[in-house]
Amino acid sequence: MTVLDARSLNRATLARQLLLDRAGLPVRDAVAHLGGLQAQEPQEPFTGLWSRLRAFDPAALSELLAGRRVVRTHLMRRTVHLLTAEDVLAWRARFDAMLRQRVLGTYRRELDGVDLDELAAAGRAVLADGEPRSMSELARAVGDRWPSCGPRPLGEMLVAALIPVAQLPPRGLWRTKGGVRNLPLASWLGREIDPLDPDDGVGQALLKRYLAAFGPAATADLRAWSGLTGLPAAVKAVRDELVVFRDERGRELLDLPDAPRPDPDTPAPVRFLPAFDNTILGYDDRTRVIDDAHRGVSVAGERVVLVDGRVSAIWSAAADAVVVVKPLRRLTKPERTAVTEEGGELASFLSDGESDRLRVEAS
């Protein structure tokens, strides 16, 4: 069985994540290919797509959100993701049990004794008037029936698990601030979510879509990306359609036969990634992209810089429209030049062309 070293896996990941070469895909197609973008920080997907697409126009993503073709909702890992409307409707039921369990994992004591079906019915009744509501407004509207719970546990269970909802614009639009206002997906998209498939065709589709955007990968990586634990049957059902490798630790890696696996010596350009990018969070074993010593930055909301395909710096945007880079290791002179050039382009993007300034601090 072929063994893929860390550099081979790194280049495969960059290719699948559209980070080896910027793609000419339409914005909606890119969101679909990536299986969604993590988006609890509403402006971060714009940077993620800028780093992946040629001539990315942020207005295109805003138009997709306003036009109800992409949606902000809780899904993978119970985090807010930006996904196509088609994927949300097809996938949401498959995530229902996981979403409930994750909210209960945080608020089990507060929600003890609450009939979740009754809570869901109460929340749907409130939202039936078609008026978008914040999580706290929805929780207060049903709170009299469960006065001992408190609004936060009730609200999170309703909007993150029990009722499939969309976070409505202006939340998530380019350079627009707006609080979270929720409306059921069926109301926003004009169609009910697909019912749970007893044959788990959705699980099989998720596996293939995951491998297209993240493979080669282990089943533990698939679980880390999705938050789902019940996918062994899906893996078994499509196993004959996949190819198998091993990594240097001996883990079995699954992949699609015709998916790109570039030469490990393929040059990798500098790329600036947004906070919580799935290029890192989409794996259980993240060493193909980030050293274990720096793993903490991937869960702390730090924006990172890939140099030669690996996390080598963090970055931020200062108030004076300067992109500030803090290396995590010593950069060579050519690397520093490449970081400066790409960072200047990012500064120009973030400032609408008013500034291309970048400052690299000491490592």
Side-chain angles (χ1 to χ4, degrees):
M1 190 177 296
T2 302
V3 174
L4 299 177
D5 62 18
R7 191 173 176 89
S8 297
L9 293 174
N10 175 270
R11 292 313 193 251
T13 292
L14 297 180
R16 312 289 174 93
Q17 285 289 303
L18 312 181
L19 294 167
L20 203 55
D21 294 295
R22 280 186 166 94
L25 293 173
V27 172
R28 182 197 164 280
D29 292 353
V31 174
H33 168 75
L34 295 167
L37 292 92
Q38 188 147 326
Q40 68 262 42
E41 298 293 338
Q43 294 296 300
E44 298 301 297
F46 291 94
T47 302
L49 290 169
W50 175 84
S51 289
R52 290 171 163 93
L53 300 179
R54 294 194 292 271
F56 169 64
D57 180 1
L61 179 55
S62 291
E63 289 169 4
L64 289 170
L65 272 164
R68 311 186 189 199
R69 298 187 65 199
V70 300
V71 180
R72 292 172 50 84
T73 190
H74 290 86
L75 204 65
M76 278 73 79
R77 308 183 298 277
R78 195 172 72 89
T79 54
V80 177
H81 272 69
L82 184 74
L83 301 110
T84 68
E86 292 82 0
D87 283 345
V88 170
L89 291 169
W91 295 354
R92 178 56 173 77
R94 187 63 177 79
F95 286 79
D96 184 67
M98 179 274 290
L99 294 170
R100 291 187 181 209
Q101 288 304 312
R102 291 221 168 184
V103 178
L104 284 174
T106 303
Y107 298 112
R108 189 173 301 276
R109 179 177 59 82
E110 292 87 343
L111 293 168
D112 182 43
V114 175
D115 185 312
L116 296 185
D117 291 336
E118 184 180 349
L119 176 59
R124 289 181 186 277
V126 172
L127 292 169
D129 62 4
E131 183 69 25
R133 287 175 171 82
S134 69
M135 183 180 74
S136 60
E137 288 171 341
L138 181 57
R140 286 197 300 270
V142 303
D144 289 347
R145 298 174 64 173
W146 296 278
S148 64
C149 290
R152 184 78 185 189
L154 291 174
E156 288 210 24
M157 179 57 81
L158 284 168
V159 304
L162 296 182
I163 305 175
V165 297
Q167 294 187 357
L168 271 53
R171 184 75 169 178
L173 300 182
W174 178 239
R175 297 198 179 289
T176 303
K177 293 184 178 180
V180 178
R181 309 285 289 178
N182 303 287
L183 199 66
L185 283 170
S187 299
W188 182 242
L189 298 178
R191 200 190 99 191
E192 295 288 344
I193 66 170
D194 294 347
L196 192 63
D197 175 9
D199 297 324
D200 202 19
V202 172
Q204 297 168 35
L206 278 168
L207 168 61
K208 292 179 180 178
R209 291 281 295 278
Y210 173 76
L211 292 176
F214 294 88
T219 55
D221 297 317
L222 172 63
R223 290 195 299 271
W225 168 73
S226 65
L228 299 174
T229 58
L231 287 172
V235 173
K236 182 178 180 180
V238 301
R239 192 177 185 88
D240 290 345
E241 304 174 36
L242 307 176
V243 291
V244 181
F245 303 95
R246 291 202 182 274
D247 65 13
E248 293 175 303
R249 294 166 47 193
R251 296 192 315 159
E252 180 182 77
L253 306 177
L254 305 174
D255 204 7
L256 303 173
D258 299 325
R261 289 179 288 274
D263 187 296
D265 293 327
T266 302
V270 168
R271 291 288 185 257
F272 283 69
L273 298 185
F276 305 113
D277 195 278
N278 277 334
T279 300
I280 303 171
L281 298 188
Y283 297 98
D284 176 62
D285 180 2
R286 301 172 184 173
T287 56
R288 67 176 70 191
V289 178
I290 186 169
D291 294 342
D292 282 337
H294 301 142
R295 185 183 175 101
V297 306
S298 65
V299 295
E302 297 283 5
R303 300 155 167 171
V304 302
V305 185
L306 302 183
V307 180
D308 192 27
R310 301 191 62 78
V311 173
S312 301
I314 59 177
W315 69 275
S316 60
D320 55 357
V322 175
V323 168
V324 179
V325 173
K326 298 180 180 180
L328 298 172
R329 62 170 175 82
R330 186 176 297 278
L331 301 177
T332 67
K333 186 174 181 179
E335 288 173 340
R336 192 182 183 93
T337 298
V339 168
T340 300
E341 291 175 353
E342 182 73 2
E345 294 290 335
L346 174 61
S348 180
F349 168 73
L350 294 175
S351 66
D352 293 329
E354 294 182 3
S355 170
D356 62 355
R357 292 179 295 163
L358 175 135
R359 183 171 72 249
V360 180
E361 298 188 346
S363 60

